[in-house]
Amino acid sequence: MGRALPLVAACAAVMLAPVPDAAAHVPDDRIVLRPGDGITFTAADPAPGWCSVAAIGYDREDRLVAITAGHCRQTGSSAVWKVGEQARGPIGTETAIHSPGSVDPLGMPTDAAPDYAVILLAETTVRGSNTSAPDADGEVVVLESIGSLPDGDQDIGRHCAAGYTTGIVCGPAPLVDALDGAGTRDVLVNPNSVNSWLVMRQGDSGGPLVRTGTDEWLGLTVGYRPNDVRFAVYQRADRIVEDLDAQGGLGAGFTLVCTP
């Protein structure tokens, strides 16, 4: 039987020292990095390719980090730029903290290994946000806490994915039951991943999956596995946090930023 883990810590506001009146109105002109933003590994503009960011937060050493898909990782020490703002310089660097995920002989993602990578951000030039950029309809996703679901078929209600290529897509799908004929629930929760019907495209890898009623970060986009009507595969967020805590280094004690 599957088990439900308690929610991991909610986002933590950064406590700032009082600012003197003379500096109180100095604008914060740092690059804002949001869930679903695109990241790339070259300063070229337009970027020849990109992935997306799932979540931004602090580890227990107060280092600002971002989490993306492990299969997006390049050298492990490459500079990282925000897509669309390459001219402003890199936002951080890749790190050795990652898990590459796993695929079958056809290249389809499997559940054998987690799929995530940690980016160390330069806080002097980057400000993290817990709110995605709005889509054309004003829809956003907000990450307030890290959720955990019991294994197996689950009804979780409205949930959305965000990625730089596709933007924001939400479910559940009204036709899932009709297509499957067996009463398929909203998602299928596996040991490392969550399957949903939501649509994604190339470049959305690493973007967040969010339960909108509770603003829980549930996972990040991995790819497709067409063995279920819920063919989109998302790495479980709680498994990422567990893995980071077990390693005890960069990213351990990860807590989402609270600021929009």
Side-chain angles (χ1 to χ4, degrees), residues 196-244:
S196 170
W197 73 277
L198 298 179
V199 176
M200 67 184 75
R201 292 184 290 169
Q202 188 173 7
D204 292 333
S205 287
L209 177 70
V210 182
R211 191 176 192 175
T212 58
T214 55
D215 294 333
E216 294 170 77
W217 176 40
L218 296 179
L220 61 77
T221 303
V222 171
Y224 286 127
R225 185 163 187 84
N227 62 341
D228 189 289
V229 66
R230 300 154 299 187
F231 46 79
V233 181
Y234 297 86
Q235 165 64 46
R236 286 176 57 170
D238 58 340
R239 292 291 182 258
I240 296 173
V241 174
E242 287 178 358
D243 211 39
L244 292 176

Side-chain angles (χ1 to χ4, degrees), residues 6-42:
L7 289 184
V8 184
C11 65
V14 178
M15 300 302 293
L16 300 177
V19 179
D21 290 341
H25 301 295
V26 175
D28 186 346
D29 61 356
R30 291 177 296 173
I31 298 169
V32 180
L33 188 65
R34 304 178 181 278
D37 279 352
I39 53 171
T40 186
F41 304 96
T42 173

Side-chain angles (χ1 to χ4, degrees), residues 76-80 90-95 118-122:
S77 60
S78 297
V80 180
I91 60 173
T93 58
E94 293 187 305
T95 73
V118 177
I119 299 167
L120 179 62
L121 299 173

Side-chain angles (χ1 to χ4, degrees), residues 104-152:
D104 66 15
L106 297 178
M108 301 294 178
T110 71
D111 196 58
D115 191 330
Y116 72 87
V118 177
I119 299 167
L120 179 62
L121 299 173
E123 195 168 1
T124 55
T125 57
V126 179
R127 178 177 73 78
S129 170
N130 71 342
T131 304
S132 72
D135 67 8
D137 297 321
E139 179 90 57
V140 297
V141 297
V142 180
L143 282 60
E144 294 282 358
S145 63
I146 303 169
S148 182
L149 300 170
D151 294 350

Side-chain angles (χ1 to χ4, degrees), residues 157-175:
R158 191 171 188 269
H159 53 288
C160 297
Y164 185 75
T165 304
T166 303
I168 298 172
V169 292
C170 300
L175 297 179

Side-chain angles (χ1 to χ4, degrees), residues 3 52 63 75 81 83 127 132-133 190 203 208 211 218 223 226 232 250:
R3 59 195 178 94
S52 299
R63 293 170 291 205
T75 66
W81 283 260
V83 176
R127 178 177 73 78
S132 72
N190 307 298
R211 191 176 192 175
L218 296 179
L250 182 71

